[in-house]
Amino acid sequence: MELAMIGLGKMGLNMATRLVRGGQRVIGFDPSEEAIQAATQNGAEGARSLEEVVKLLKPPRVIWLMIPAGPITDDTVQKLAGLLTKGDVVIDGGNSNYKDSMRHAVLLESREIEFLDSGTSGGIWGLQEGYSLMIGGKAEVVEKMRPIFQTLAPAADKGWGHVGPHGAGHFVKMIHNGIEYGMMQAFAEGFNIMKAKKEFNLNLEEIAEIWRYGSVVRSWLLDLTARALKDDPTLSDIKPWVEDSGEGRWTVAEAMDQDVPAPIITLALQMRFASRDDENFSARLLAAMRNQFGGHAVKKEI
């Protein structure tokens, strides 16, 4: 099978490489010439425009998108709608909002072009470990794309599946990322409490390693936590600034829309916002209020 990978960032490049190693023909396109060169060095063929991508692929064409959610994906889908022909397939493997994916499906199907939204998890480790793929769209189209999904997944029968109609793939990935926020926050808070217990002089790296085996909290996130602590036990070189991709916000908004309580995910998202506040005026004001009503001491900036 052959396909084009549009977007050759770290994840897109790794996915293209895994597909090539799995015997697929891959055409790689990215605005960065350096990214295209990296893809060709790993066995893909390079293209310098969407028009060239379409010319290089035999119908029915398969186009996999690994590009930023929002306007860039919107523009790319619009362009592809004018370039592709009946029976071609567009797969959005990025982190698009599921509502955008539902809209993209309608647009493409009006041109008789098929669309799948594939929530994709695995990050930079997917090249070696395989990717978790949550796929939305028509079952028959998913089945036609089976060789691609089987190649990208950890195993032919593990880590991927058709989860529902158009939009369902990105919806499930959105919830996946919301859960991820909560799990990460719980690990961060637990290790922080242990770090604060000075009298025990706990070795956090050692504890992470102990928990990795037999513990009910063992997980890939714990494996990565242990790896980070081994590389830098004090994490002194890392600024306490935690970004969010947007999917945590969408998950919280969806919970509100569905009247479903999600306090853990919501607070985990709020803590990411708190990490970015170098000024932290709210904490300063809290200290000032305590001083005003109770005479409690306040610490001054040096």
Side-chain angles (χ1 to χ4, degrees), residues 151-165:
T151 302
L152 289 172
D157 60 345
K158 290 182 175 65
W160 75 278
H162 178 223
V163 299

Side-chain angles (χ1 to χ4, degrees), residues 73-94:
T73 296
D74 283 342
D75 290 346
T76 303
V77 170
Q78 287 280 357
K79 289 177 182 176
L80 288 171
L83 292 171
L84 298 176
T85 57
K86 180 179 178 179
D88 291 344
V89 181
V90 175
I91 306 173
D92 183 357

